[in-house]
Amino acid sequence: KAGVTQTPRYLIKTRGQQVTLSCSPISGHRSVSWYQQTPGQGLQFLFEYFSETQRNKGNFPGRFSGRQFSNSRSEMNVSTLELGDSALYLCASSLEGGNTGELFFGEGSRLTVL
Amino acid sequence: AQSVTQLDSQVPVFEEAPVELRCNYSSSVSVYLFWYVQYPNQGLQLLLKYLSGSTLVKGINGFEAEFNKSQTSFHLRKPSVHISDTAEYFCAAQRGTGGGYNKLIFGAGTRLAVHP
């Protein structure tokens, strides 16, 4: 069974640009969550989608957005990039949208903003 | 609000020695607790979880953790570590009542370095 797939794995952008990251969850998983990982702030929750609906959102500015498609694939977008957006963005999927916390993580998309 | 504190940022240990990675949490509501491991250039992998029931939970790779409600702790232990256990370990909490929706609050992480 294929795991969570994130693309691209690495990307470099400049300040002011925007970026779209993609996540394909494990087949059959309907919940997709996004996390930002930085050396300074650690792992922080961005948002969670279930059946194309955003159910929970972290404390990030509106420049960070996401969506989920009918096939459960998800994308997140960051507009007007800032240097501080440089991070590893992790996507995680789970079978149900409940509270078990058993998340399956992808390897992440490492974004560098110059 | 929930918070998770990992008391050690780095833990060096020799191979085959026991290890304990400490985690404390704070929450005004019931919580679920987890330990995840991250190997270099990889995502996170679930080691074990506590949802309810027995306070001693066993996970993969020989790890176990004990939930202590009175001390609000969830320490991770392994009786004998291997070189391959070298990684970053994250303790995480999630609201145990409705509305958690896979929103995990992570600790800052503990880097376990196993030396030969």
Side-chain angles (χ1 to χ4, degrees):
Chain A
K1 200 174 190 179
V4 177
T5 304
Q6 292 188 246
T7 57
R9 289 292 314 279
Y10 302 90
L11 65 165
I12 300 174
K13 294 287 187 177
T14 56
R15 280 180 300 174
Q17 287 186 311
Q18 74 166 12
V19 66
T20 298
L21 309 178
S22 179
C23 172
S24 293
I26 292 173
S27 178
H29 285 195
R30 296 169 61 192
S31 171
V32 174
S33 309
W34 289 88
Y35 290 81
Q36 181 197 63
Q37 185 176 24
T38 61
Q41 300 298 317
L43 281 153
Q44 293 185 288
F45 173 81
L46 280 158
F47 26 65
E48 188 258 1
Y49 289 88
F50 181 78
S51 293
E52 302 179 65
T53 300
Q54 184 183 90
R55 298 192 303 178
N56 216 342
K57 191 176 190 302
N59 296 322
F60 280 82
R63 299 186 297 108
F64 291 80
S65 63
R67 59 179 177 169
Q68 186 181 35
F69 301 96
S70 58
N71 62 357
S72 294
R73 191 177 68 87
S74 177
E75 290 181 347
M76 68 163 284
N77 183 276
V78 188
S79 62
T80 319
L81 285 166
E82 301 176 359
L83 295 179
D85 297 332
S86 294
L88 181 67
Y89 290 88
L90 292 165
C91 168
S93 73
S94 68
L95 183 61
E96 299 174 352
N99 298 321
T100 65
E102 187 155 8
L103 304 182
F104 295 83
F105 283 83
E107 293 186 319
S109 293
R110 185 167 296 280
L111 171 64
T112 302
V113 182
L114 302 176
Chain B
Q2 296 172 343
S3 67
V4 176
T5 302
Q6 291 185 241
L7 300 167
D8 307 290
S9 60
Q10 295 185 65
V11 173
V13 64
F14 287 108
E15 194 173 18
E16 297 183 7
V19 71
E20 178 180 81
L21 307 183
R22 298 179 294 168
C23 172
N24 284 96
Y25 69 93
S26 66
S27 177
S28 58
V29 298
S30 64
V31 293
Y32 298 146
L33 296 164
F34 312 89
W35 276 98
Y36 281 84
V37 60
Q38 186 177 33
Y39 299 101
N41 298 315
Q42 293 188 25
L44 281 72
Q45 180 183 10
L46 179 66
L47 278 177
L48 48 80
K49 62 183 179 182
Y50 172 78
L51 303 182
S52 64
S54 173
T55 57
L56 182 64
V57 292
K58 293 187 183 297
I60 62 171
N61 301 340
F63 285 94
E64 64 179 33
E66 185 160 16
F67 171 64
N68 188 318
K69 188 174 182 179
S70 63
Q71 298 187 4
T72 61
S73 68
F74 190 57
H75 301 334
L76 180 71
R77 302 185 183 100
K78 186 169 183 178
S80 176
V81 295
H82 303 287
I83 294 287
S84 59
D85 291 324
T86 295
E88 186 118 25
Y89 291 79
F90 293 93
C91 182
Q94 178 179 320
R95 182 175 171 179
T97 54
Y101 298 141
N102 295 324
K103 177 181 179 179
L104 297 180
I105 306 300
F106 283 92
T110 297
R111 187 170 300 275
L112 175 65
V114 182
H115 302 284

